Amino acid sequence: MSKTQNKASNGSVTTIPESEYKVKDMSLADWGRKEIELAEVEMPGLMATREEFGPQKPFQGARIMGSLHMTIQTAVLIETLKELGGDIRWCSCNIFSTQDHAAAAVVAQGSASVFAWKGETVEEYWWCTNRALQWPDGEGPDLIVDDGGDATLLIHEGFKAEEVYAKNKSLPDPSSTENREFRAVLSIIAESIQKDPQRFHRIAQRLVGVSEETTTGVHRLIERAREGSLLFPAINVNDSVTKSKFDNIYGCRHSLPDGIMRATDVMIAGKKAVICGYGDVGKGCAQAMKAAGARTVITEVDPICALQACMEGYEVVLLDDVVSDADIFITTTGNKDIIMASHMAKMKNNAIVGNIGHFDNEIDMAGLEKYPGIKKVNIKPQVDRFVFPDGHGIIMLAEGRLLNLGCATGHPSFVMSCSFTNQAMAQLELWNNRKTGKYQKNVYVLPKKLDEKVARLHLGKLGAKLTKLSPEQAEYIGISQDGPYKPDTYRY
Amino acid sequence: MSKTQNKASNGSVTTIPESEYKVKDMSLADWGRKEIELAEVEMPGLMATREEFGPQKPFQGARIMGSLHMTIQTAVLIETLKELGGDIRWCSCNIFSTQDHAAAAVVAQGSASVFAWKGETVEEYWWCTNRALQWPDGEGPDLIVDDGGDATLLIHEGFKAEEVYAKNKSLPDPSSTENREFRAVLSIIAESIQKDPQRFHRIAQRLVGVSEETTTGVHRLIERAREGSLLFPAINVNDSVTKSKFDNIYGCRHSLPDGIMRATDVMIAGKKAVICGYGDVGKGCAQAMKAAGARTVITEVDPICALQACMEGYEVVLLDDVVSDADIFITTTGNKDIIMASHMAKMKNNAIVGNIGHFDNEIDMAGLEKYPGIKKVNIKPQVDRFVFPDGHGIIMLAEGRLLNLGCATGHPSFVMSCSFTNQAMAQLELWNNRKTGKYQKNVYVLPKKLDEKVARLHLGKLGAKLTKLSPEQAEYIGISQDGPYKPDTYRY
Amino acid sequence: MSKTQNKASNGSVTTIPESEYKVKDMSLADWGRKEIELAEVEMPGLMATREEFGPQKPFQGARIMGSLHMTIQTAVLIETLKELGGDIRWCSCNIFSTQDHAAAAVVAQGSASVFAWKGETVEEYWWCTNRALQWPDGEGPDLIVDDGGDATLLIHEGFKAEEVYAKNKSLPDPSSTENREFRAVLSIIAESIQKDPQRFHRIAQRLVGVSEETTTGVHRLIERAREGSLLFPAINVNDSVTKSKFDNIYGCRHSLPDGIMRATDVMIAGKKAVICGYGDVGKGCAQAMKAAGARTVITEVDPICALQACMEGYEVVLLDDVVSDADIFITTTGNKDIIMASHMAKMKNNAIVGNIGHFDNEIDMAGLEKYPGIKKVNIKPQVDRFVFPDGHGIIMLAEGRLLNLGCATGHPSFVMSCSFTNQAMAQLELWNNRKTGKYQKNVYVLPKKLDEKVARLHLGKLGAKLTKLSPEQAEYIGISQDGPYKPDTYRY
Amino acid sequence: MSKTQNKASNGSVTTIPESEYKVKDMSLADWGRKEIELAEVEMPGLMATREEFGPQKPFQGARIMGSLHMTIQTAVLIETLKELGGDIRWCSCNIFSTQDHAAAAVVAQGSASVFAWKGETVEEYWWCTNRALQWPDGEGPDLIVDDGGDATLLIHEGFKAEEVYAKNKSLPDPSSTENREFRAVLSIIAESIQKDPQRFHRIAQRLVGVSEETTTGVHRLIERAREGSLLFPAINVNDSVTKSKFDNIYGCRHSLPDGIMRATDVMIAGKKAVICGYGDVGKGCAQAMKAAGARTVITEVDPICALQACMEGYEVVLLDDVVSDADIFITTTGNKDIIMASHMAKMKNNAIVGNIGHFDNEIDMAGLEKYPGIKKVNIKPQVDRFVFPDGHGIIMLAEGRLLNLGCATGHPSFVMSCSFTNQAMAQLELWNNRKTGKYQKNVYVLPKKLDEKVARLHLGKLGAKLTKLSPEQAEYIGISQDGPYKPDTYRY
């Protein structure tokens, strides 16, 4: 059996047996490794984490499972967790977002067992998630890095189904749901229970905690905590300032035009762009479109965000009022049913439609595909032209899924370094407190001091020099010289 | 005795006896009235408040005292409170910020008793504050609108001194302090106790609450609440999103260049500008300087704010490293000792130095005036050139006090309408709950729904159209269709 | 007779007798001097010109007349010409643009005879122009610095009238014209001819040349040159790159918001602004409005400029389509009849209307003042509210004249230093070539090398460091190492 | 023999025999066709040209040869010329710039004979150029569309060599030059003369003219015209306003970040970017980098351009002073030896270096590749990391050639439509005047009215509405109502 080797800095050699990973093509590993090495230079927070904690191997003995886009940047996170002593398994949280060369490189280095490739089916996706949750001894992880909450969901649904099964031996029935995705989840669970009816209970019991990357995942966790059904502690990484005010804003400001340009080569200058939503993602997107010379307008439901848009010089409009005028439509809301098939039916020929919010129901893909007489012409991967019976077409990016991941390479390394350093901090917090009782079955944010630390680790790379408060100044405003510098309610 | 007349919309006529106001020149009233009428069109939040609540006169019977820059915009606030039934006395919270035509117009209309003029001495300032706190029957207000907390301070210091006096008949001794400002406070209190040793106790007892406008004032209130010495409920208006994220950012973005241009006529384009601090005020200032074509750099102590500055393309530097290169220096920190005399000694000839943060100790005015061999040449009101012995000079704006108020006319009406509508809401909240016990001797922020309402009232004027959530969308993200749209921790 | 003294650097003392100047108030001279000294630091091109040429006194024996806004910046130009040996008389080229403290300071220093004050009548204006053209010996200047061409016009009209008079003894008849301005011109000329029927002929004959500051003046000169009626050589300073691409764009970018803010204190952010015209002035204005957070739209007749506006993200609209929506309207076209009374009748209440193009006929002031039922309410100097019969009003800035000069202080010193260093260069060119025949009765632009020199003189102040071409690089692109660096057709 | 078919709008069917084209892969034709159809919607100027002139087939009988990047956009140009009746042969003007799917689609449609593929050798490149110049009957074109002047060069060099050969039968000697490129040219010519010693003379005689796309090509033409050696008329398309002020500025503003992002995925925000040169290309590049959040500095030799950079808020520096600090270096000068190997030796690790000016000698590629101990690591196509002996590397884009063409897809269609509509106009001008004598052996620019027409054709797509001058307004400023609206010297 061929094996891959880990020549990590600790000198040890790890090999991953072929049964313990599934990626597209191991021959991409060299290219992936070169890109990982470039990315490391752009991810100073993770590299500083390796330097500070690597020698102590704080994760010695910790099993870490990740469900998060298997990209080059994630590879740097994985290898940071590895460097700190972790034993790691990974899957992607999106069927399209895996970069196959990144996955191959991680496996080749022996850094983690990876189950991910670009273009999984929904069934394959959940198979991967399940495999990543199961160590060779059949048991689960101590820690989870989650993005969107799918790993967490599988455990909770599995746990629930095991309880039902324990009561009355009934198994979950995949055919009970129309939803293809949920059907796949139920199949996996049914199979699991038949083999091992307490597996998810043991997983839940073992788990020290999860750190969650996104708004959507956090939303689900808070719901569970409210209901009292959350099975383990959770740290909300999404609401670290160095995540939400950086990744969301500046990541999207970079990756929205990147995605549009790679997908369409269309000149943005002079066009009319509609950004649906003016939250953090929308703010970054609008800034990017305006900077590129587009006449940019906003739709919003929240009057405060709408007023912010006004102050920045955007017109705040109703989608219905501009649908026939605009050239580019981008959803950033995190809600559903924002751009409907009926809207697209009224758009100009070759209007570009894309989503950088969350799920592919922000744009009514279902309605579009069922639109009477519609024709779908594939231009190139992740770029389709839907032609309406009247002859006009619209250009749909990434099938309505996150266009920056689908049509470009997602957020750039530097901003992901902020997010992922928070992840590393969160994992350390959970693991170091596994016996202190600090974290209960609830949802927590990282203390502001760690948030400030993450920022601090990223300043040197940019040549920024931080002013130091004098003791007198610190006293004058009633804070410590070393921070935290702001009250928890501060909005940045 | 001549009297001024109020022909307010309610048809009633109020007259203010001459003993009950002190302003510079009543002949400015007509000009002031014209400017107030223009400002009303720019303050839709306050006008909508008049329309919604005016007919019910909810403040019937309420005595409202204000200590807040007596400007045209404040006049619109005062007359809104009046329209809602209030009985009002007012003073300014800054010796330079009164617009004399605004003060005169308010008196002429019979809207409020005003004690304020541009260029008060420190002693006059506290005399005005004290007069504004005392109704003709000798008693105090039911409600206070405070800015910086000076009215609140006078009451708390008075209360404390009365307690000492009650114990041992000792009066506060003004000569016990070097601080000219505090000496004036003690004189006022000593005199008050001699006339009426329980006056501040009665004031404190009667008070339903205070609404505070600024960070500094809120900071003082929170300190008192922590110590348990706060004498009445307080609403922190400063931290309403529609205040801090609008007034601070967009107000300063407007009024910083306005102040610099009126004071110096200097071309901003091509110059190097240093913005000390990248909080909300700093963000607005930096954006304005960059937009005007200045090479703009930032100094910061907080790594998160520093990283935000980096992401927006600013260089983050140490003041010492740029002090000899830059042309414009602006402090926005809310801290002290930011630009010292020793810095100014190293600046280029005719470097411009100004403060838009808070007190005049952000810039070391004391050190500058005592600098050996320094000469002060007044160019025009609020613009001085300090010439160092080596012959180079620096241009100091507004004597180190808030340059936007000193050299221009402060924030424009529209953004003050956001802040002041919050004030009006806060006053209503306090008064309407005067008997419900909702507000204890603590510091509160307004509920998010009121914050959103304030924003909503300002959208129409800008032609913004708000999208309405469908019931399905509201349910999907787990909120009410009518808001609040975000969790309390949301950062905007 | 009291006299003013010139303590110029050359140590000589000049005194100007009271009959040889007319300004508003000599007591403003000290303030003016302080502002002139500040401006000198901002006008490196003029100061470098003093340094380079001052010692040689190249203008020894030259009489220089100027007709150009008598501001602080112009004072620095005047005193530069003086330092180079000139004998100078000056008037303003606009009835509102004189800064009285500048005029007083120039006279007090003995730098020039000045005939100018803020708020001249049209008759006074032409009296001033005529006085500035007449030295105590009754004769005229050797050189003219003109802005808009009024001094040139007076001489040409006078010359023409003298020819008619020489033929048939008929004098110009002021009552022959409805135009108040031209009537004043004819009166002056008629009076002059009666006293001295060959005066304008002698003036024309003596004149070495004129350097003209503006598009309008250049346009008039080119017309005369085409007709063959131009009486002396002219240098078109307006079309130096360091004039038209700096003063027009960056000067207006600075002074448009300055003027609006001083005049109205209105928040620009969130408002809808219409910039009529997207030439250099319009480009600067649009950039300023956008930067201040206004939704900015453009009207244009030239498709190329319109396409530029599109590429910068502006919407290009018809005025009729936005007249009821917008809040701020600015004309920058240099044409007439851009905003008509009928447009203003349809505007929103308190829409702001101003002109930064050229004459007050860009906005239909005549039509507005005659509008049936209109009421004019003066808010403060240079700010009027015109109230239409339906009750809505518009805010007119500077009576439709240049709002940056009327409501603020015009362009800032630094950019005027570019323009005025071109003026100084042009005057030197004309004077140094007075006997070479290089300049005939035609219109010339300065050689590119001088243009580049003007730019070079302004870089040091801004800390800019210029890269030097290597000989190999210069040869590679076929130019001299020291410039000129571009062909004459280059557009910058 | 297999043939390709042209089903052009005129219904005729053209087939191109296999011997008359050479492209990489005809199976890419379908994809190419889909992209061409999308591009047509973005190229309104060319489509309007088809509509206006297509029916008349003005190019009936004209043989048109093109040497210009064989991209999707060029395909739309080619098919426009075809639609107007032309008989067309094409090659690329850059060894890397061909888009193979575009080339295939053009051949498949029978639109032109194409000799071009991505990644030609230098010898192949000149073989292609030569083949494109030779119609099946052995004769040359009537018209040339040139970009950089290589087709023109080949003809002039061939002509010269034929003259030498006619004199003394000596053939050009490829081994006489070190320059690989020129060696290939001489080989081609030597071979041609041996077959047909008058071929280039007949080509020159037949040629009606050339229209040239770029600064470099125009520079060469002007040199030839100055020397009197130009063999046929030339129209300088580069200096049409709708070319140089659009393609150069806005094209690069779009395609610079596009190229950097596709090549490196590096976050631009927060980085320090050096733009070498602030001409039109530099202006667009700097604007893009600043907009993306980079701290952007400029190097310049021309003081006027340097002062423009200052006014826009850029620091103007010497490369030597920032070479160790900056993260991104871009050359835009059109000159040589801008960034030397010695500079790159001092850069930060993984600094990005790219050229968007013209030739690959702007960056010292030769010096870099010969640097002692240097290692070249290919990351992916067109992205190399050069590792210096001290271990630091730099990321070189597109081997120092135009990075927007090498790493992205060049300028977007819309802006190329402006440039190419000028090309179509120029070709029509030349052809329509082939017998009028209007164009001699000299270099011409298109009349401003055609320039304005090109702009006009692009406004509708962007929803821009053009204001119409009234007859009175036109007269007032002394122009025709329909333009041209500006003097030839106007700089836009």
Side-chain angles (χ1 to χ4, degrees), chain C residues 12-29:
Chain C
S12 76
V13 172
T14 318
T15 52
I16 298 180
E18 267 186 18
S19 62
E20 286 303 304
Y21 66 85
K22 184 154 167 35
V23 300
K24 184 169 275 168
D25 181 356
M26 286 300 292
S27 77
L28 300 170

Side-chain angles (χ1 to χ4, degrees), chain D residues 1 13 16 18 45 102 118 160 184 242 282 305 347 354 372 390 395 416 425 427 442 470 478 481:
Chain D
M1 179 193 271
V13 172
I16 298 180
E18 267 186 16
K118 190 175 182 78
K160 209 165 61 181
T242 46
C305 295
M347 288 180 184
D390 69 356
I395 311 293
M416 291 316 296
M425 300 280 173
Q427 292 282 314
N442 214 329
S470 71
Q481 252 188 300

Side-chain angles (χ1 to χ4, degrees), chain A residues 75 109 117 134 144 155 254 263 338 374 466:
Chain A
Q109 187 91 330
W117 57 94
Q134 194 157 23
I144 292 178
I155 297 167
H254 180 105
I338 303 302
I374 201 94
L466 216 49

Side-chain angles (χ1 to χ4, degrees), chain B residues 367-385:
Chain B
L368 182 65
E369 280 171 359
K370 287 186 298 194
Y371 197 92
I374 200 93
K375 270 186 235 158
K376 179 177 174 180
V377 180
N378 181 257
I379 306 295
K380 60 185 182 187
Q382 312 271 25
V383 184
D384 297 290
R385 185 165 184 257

Side-chain angles (χ1 to χ4, degrees), chain D residues 16 72 95 173 254 316 349 370 405 462 467 481 484:
Chain D
I16 298 180
I72 293 291
I95 61 177
D173 176 11
H254 180 104
V316 178
N349 187 27
K370 289 186 296 195
L405 280 159
L462 305 180
T467 301
Q481 252 188 300

Side-chain angles (χ1 to χ4, degrees), chain B residues 219-237:
Chain B
H219 186 67
R220 289 174 171 187
L221 287 167
I222 287 173
E223 283 297 298
R224 290 191 206 281
R226 270 195 202 135
E227 298 165 10
S229 68
L230 185 62
L231 297 169
F232 36 79
I235 290 186
N236 164 2
V237 166

Side-chain angles (χ1 to χ4, degrees), chain B residues 20-23 64-71 73-75 77-79 81-82 87-93 98 103 106-107 111-116 120 128-129 131-133 135 143-147 211 420 423 427:
Chain B
E20 287 304 304
Y21 66 84
K22 183 155 168 34
V23 300
I64 306 177
M65 182 270 185
S67 164
L68 196 158
H69 313 288
M70 181 59 255
T71 62
Q73 290 77 32
T74 301
L77 170 60
I78 289 171
E79 296 186 345
L81 299 174
K82 174 82 182 176
D87 172 9
I88 304 168
R89 297 174 80 81
W90 213 266
C91 61
S92 200
C93 63
T98 296
V106 165
V107 170
S111 304
S113 296
V114 176
F115 300 86
E120 299 158 359
C128 288
T129 307
R131 288 287 279 126
L133 276 171
W135 261 251
L143 295 164
I144 292 178
V145 176
D146 214 354
D147 179 315
S211 59
F420 285 171
Q423 282 285 8
Q427 293 282 313

